[in-house]
Amino acid sequence: MAIYREKDIFERRGAANEAKRAMLEKFKAKPAADDPAVLARQAERKAILEARAIREAEREKQKQERLAREAKERAEREAAAEAARLAAEEAAQAEAKQREAEENERIARLLADEAERKAKRDARYAARKSRVGRVPPGFGGK
């Protein structure tokens, strides 16, 4: 089994100096801002950003068109529903008027029948009164 050996201060300082030296070399090795490779990468990035902006604008335009189309369709559906509701209301009102007319006609017939029965009853009563001198049957008679 390997025994863990702790690094002493000199080894740690040497490793830190080595890391600093590597970072400095890496920084010095970077190409300048006017290097053709750097300029090509910047141009490529700019083209990518412009293409992305164009795609986003197109997507936004399509979204606005879709929202406008949906709003128009919703307005048409609501108008059709309102027209259907009004037509149903008118039909219900016409049906209610028809039922009311039938009910009034039925009531008028009942009243006419009642008046006719009353007139017959009154006629019978008047006929009975006109025969005053007559004895009703069952009360003995002449």
Side-chain angles (χ1 to χ4, degrees):
M1 184 159 152
I3 299 175
Y4 177 71
R5 186 178 75 82
E6 193 171 313
K7 295 181 179 181
D8 64 356
I9 190 157
F10 299 111
E11 287 177 316
R12 288 195 308 260
R13 191 174 356 157
N17 285 336
E18 187 68 29
K20 287 178 188 175
R21 192 172 16 264
M23 285 175 43
L24 184 61
E25 290 299 319
K26 185 178 175 186
F27 179 74
K28 286 181 179 178
K30 272 190 175 180
D34 60 350
D35 187 34
V38 172
L39 294 175
R41 278 196 310 266
Q42 286 178 346
E44 184 180 340
R45 284 189 195 124
K46 185 176 179 182
I48 290 171
L49 289 175
E50 289 173 354
R52 183 179 298 150
I54 291 171
R55 284 193 311 268
E56 288 176 357
E58 182 65 27
R59 222 177 293 132
E60 184 64 27
K61 179 182 170 190
Q62 288 175 352
K63 180 181 176 183
Q64 293 300 325
E65 289 173 355
R66 180 179 50 84
L67 290 175
R69 186 175 55 250
E70 288 174 357
K72 180 182 172 192
E73 290 172 357
R74 183 174 43 254
E76 289 172 356
R77 280 194 309 270
E78 289 173 357
E82 182 66 19
R85 186 188 64 78
L86 290 176
E89 243 179 52
E90 290 176 6
Q93 288 176 350
E95 185 179 330
K97 285 181 182 180
Q98 177 69 24
R99 279 195 309 257
E100 186 178 347
E102 290 173 358
E103 183 68 17
N104 287 342
E105 183 180 326
R106 187 183 68 78
I107 291 172
R109 275 196 319 268
L110 288 175
L111 290 176
D113 289 347
E114 185 67 29
E116 185 180 335
R117 281 196 298 273
K118 186 174 190 264
K120 285 181 182 178
R121 187 181 66 232
D122 288 349
R124 282 194 312 269
Y125 181 72
R128 222 177 23 243
K129 285 294 187 178
S130 67
R131 297 179 296 207
V132 171
R134 195 164 164 242
V135 178
F139 284 101
K142 302 182 193 179

